[in-house]
């Protein structure tokens, strides 16, 4: 059984037991989180969409917080002696999918 959930402006295809990194969510390690924006649920060849998912919910457990790799942003305007270097590391929350309820 799988589900497609939406969180942090992205969509993820998940199954029970999956561990994934999503955009930073509130909660500490061990907390339970419910994803209410379920876009699809499938079981073999049977897929449910739209109105069939009014009460669907995916529950997950927060494992911890991580940070992505450092990205370097370098902007240069040639022949203007203008340079700007900046770095960024995105914050993520690692979650483990516990249950998919349709």
């Amino acid at each position: 059984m799988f589900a497609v959930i939406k969180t942090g402006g992205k969509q993820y295809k998940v199954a029970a037991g999956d561990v994934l990194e999503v955009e930073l969510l509130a909660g500490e390690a061990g907390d339970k989180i419910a994803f209410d924006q379920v876009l699809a649920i499938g079981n073999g060849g049977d897929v449910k969409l739209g109105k069939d998912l009014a009460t669907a919910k995916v529950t997950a457990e927060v494992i911890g917080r991580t940070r992505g790799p450092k990205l370097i942003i370098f902007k240069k305007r040639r022949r203007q002696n203008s340079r700007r270097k900046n770095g960024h590391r995105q914050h993520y929350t690692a979650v483990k999918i516990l249950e998919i309820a349709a």
Side-chain angles (χ1 to χ4, degrees):
M1 183 173 210
F2 72 90
V4 178
I5 61 172
K6 182 178 178 183
T7 179
K10 298 174 182 65
Q11 297 176 8
Y12 300 94
K13 181 180 176 183
V14 297
D18 286 354
V19 175
L20 66 143
E21 291 182 346
V22 297
E23 297 288 323
L24 189 64
L25 299 171
E28 298 298 321
D31 290 351
K32 304 278 190 277
I33 292 179
F35 295 106
D36 296 328
Q37 287 189 313
V38 180
L39 306 177
I41 288 183
N43 192 1
D46 182 34
V47 178
K48 294 181 182 178
L49 301 169
K51 293 180 184 176
D52 298 336
L53 302 175
T55 60
K57 187 165 65 167
V58 174
T59 52
E61 179 183 2
V62 175
I63 295 174
R65 294 188 175 165
T66 60
R67 294 176 75 192
K70 184 157 190 171
L71 302 176
I72 303 298
I73 297 96
F74 185 76
K75 298 180 181 181
K76 180 176 177 15
R77 293 177 193 89
R78 61 185 188 158
R79 296 187 297 269
Q80 304 297 319
N81 196 22
S82 173
R83 288 179 278 182
R84 173 170 292 171
K85 183 178 178 183
N86 200 350
H88 175 76
R89 287 187 75 182
Q90 184 68 36
H91 295 273
Y92 294 106
T93 300
V95 295
K96 180 177 183 178
I97 304 300
L98 299 176
E99 178 185 23
I100 298 171

